[in-house]
Structure formats: C-alpha cells, structure tokens
Amino acid sequence: MPEPDAAAAQPPMTEQERAEADLFQQALFNLIPFFMDGARGDPSRARAAAVELMKSYPIRSMLELQLVTEVIAFSQSALDNLRRAKADKPMPEVQRDTLRRTAVSLNAAEHRTIRFLDKVYRDRNAAPATRAKPHQPEPQPVPEAEIVRDQATILREVQNRLAQHRAQMGAQMGAQMGAQMGTQQGGAKPDAFMNHDQRRAAEPDARREARRPAG
C-alpha cells in the first residue's frame, strides 16, 4: 500500500503563511550570491549556507527577517570588499582605497542595523511581561476632613462617658457620706452632703417635717 504524499497530507497554507514563505525565499535569493564562492558555484549549497547563518538569529517576524537579511548582506559585502582589496595584486591603489572606504561604510550600516534589531528583540521580549502584569490601582489616601471628623466623634463619645461616670460616682459618694454623717451627728442636716438634685428631692419632706407640731 503506497504511503500518502506528505505534501498532500498537510493542510493548505493561508495567504499570510504563503506570503511569509515567499518573503523568506526572497531573502535567501538575495543572500545566495554571497556564498557562491564558498559553495564552489553550487546554488543549493550556497542556499543551505545562507539558511544555516540565518538560523543563528531568533527570527519571529517579517521585520526581524528583513533586518537579519540586511545584517548578513552588509557584513558579507564589507568582507568581500576587504578581500578583493587584499587579494587583487594588480589593482590600482586608488581602487583599493575605495573598496576599503566602502567596507567601512558597510560595516557602520551593519552595526546600525544590529542596534535596531536588538531594540526589536528587547521590545518583543518585554511585551508579554507587560501584558501579563495586571494593573494595580494605587491606594487612595483617606481625606483629612474624614480623619478629623472621626476623631471628633470619638472624642465626644469619650467625654460623654466620662461625664456620666463622674455623675454616677458623685451621687453614690454623696449618698454614702450623707448617711454616715446623719448617723454620727443626729441633728445635723443630711442635705449638707447632698448634691443639688438630691437636695431638691429632699426639700418637700423637710418642709412637711417642719410644719408638724412638736410632741
């Protein structure tokens, strides 16, 4: 029984996937000439060399693919200029200087592209952490007016409780001292040790007692 075709078993590519594949093939097409000498003129080997070099970069987007292609092209062009300036003995010195200056410019362009690529990598790596971290609202301070109002309420409650406590203690102590003095002195007026409320309550009884005839 023949095995099914692997290509036929795969689902069809979407338009975006096909476009990304075409862009990758175009990048390889642009890089293959830089590796033809090392591959002894074999385009397949030159293509494999370009793929291997591109694999050393973590490409995750088409922008990164473009930047990586530029970095490789700039670096290989600069190296090729330096190689020709050194290898071609009959070349005029003016042409050698031109190749060297061009190599320096290509090298500067490579470094600028690398810095831009590094920034793209940093932004890409920082984006998931930024999205994953939920926004934590800052705690709002309690308004000063509410703090003062709460303190005043507490102070009034404390003062009321202290006043009630003093009134109760005063009534109890007055009654005890009045009873003790009445027992000791007999004829002494019991209201001498009473508070204001107690004296007012005792006045009617005292007037009736005064009007009662002796004997």
Side-chain angles (χ1 to χ4, degrees):
M1 180 177 180
E3 295 182 358
D5 188 2
Q10 294 180 354
M13 299 176 63
T14 64
E15 292 185 3
Q16 180 179 355
E17 291 173 343
R18 186 176 298 279
E20 292 177 353
D22 292 342
L23 289 172
F24 185 76
Q25 295 299 329
Q26 182 63 39
L28 291 177
F29 180 79
N30 292 329
L31 293 178
I32 284 175
F34 292 102
F35 304 99
M36 287 294 290
D37 292 337
R40 305 292 181 89
D42 186 345
S44 298
R45 290 173 55 183
R47 183 181 185 280
V51 171
E52 193 65 25
L53 186 56
M54 294 180 71
K55 285 167 58 179
S56 62
Y57 295 89
I59 300 173
R60 297 291 185 273
S61 68
M62 294 300 99
L63 174 60
E64 295 173 6
L65 173 65
Q66 176 66 26
L67 295 175
V68 168
T69 305
E70 292 179 7
V71 168
I72 296 175
F74 287 146
S75 63
Q76 294 300 318
S77 297
L79 292 174
D80 186 63
N81 280 7
L82 294 176
R83 179 190 63 80
R84 286 191 294 149
K86 186 67 175 177
D88 193 348
K89 300 297 182 182
M91 181 181 294
E93 192 63 30
V94 175
Q95 189 175 353
R96 294 179 194 276
D97 291 341
T98 301
L99 288 174
R100 294 190 186 100
R101 287 195 297 270
T102 304
V104 172
S105 299
L106 290 168
N107 186 255
E110 175 195 357
H111 289 177
R112 287 195 299 270
T113 308
I114 288 176
R115 288 195 294 270
F116 185 29
L117 182 61
D118 288 340
K119 181 180 181 301
V120 172
Y121 285 154
R122 290 195 300 270
D123 294 342
R124 183 189 70 187
N125 294 333
T130 303
R131 289 194 299 266
K133 184 178 180 180
H135 176 68
Q136 297 291 340
E138 296 183 358
Q140 297 297 326
V142 180
E144 184 176 356
E146 293 186 6
I147 296 177
V148 173
R149 185 166 58 252
D150 293 341
Q151 292 178 345
T153 301
I154 295 174
L155 180 60
R156 284 195 300 270
E157 292 179 357
V158 173
Q159 291 174 343
N160 292 336
R161 291 177 182 177
L162 288 176
Q164 293 175 1
H165 181 70
R166 285 196 296 268
Q168 293 175 357
M169 292 297 295
Q172 294 176 359
M173 293 180 63
Q176 293 176 358
M177 294 179 64
Q180 293 176 358
M181 295 298 296
T183 302
Q184 294 175 359
Q185 298 180 2
K189 296 181 179 180
D191 60 353
F193 302 97
M194 296 181 181
N195 58 27
H196 178 72
D197 295 335
Q198 291 172 335
R199 285 197 298 271
R200 292 186 60 185
E203 283 179 358
D205 295 336
R207 287 197 293 270
R208 286 195 298 270
E209 187 69 21
R211 290 195 295 269
R212 182 181 299 175

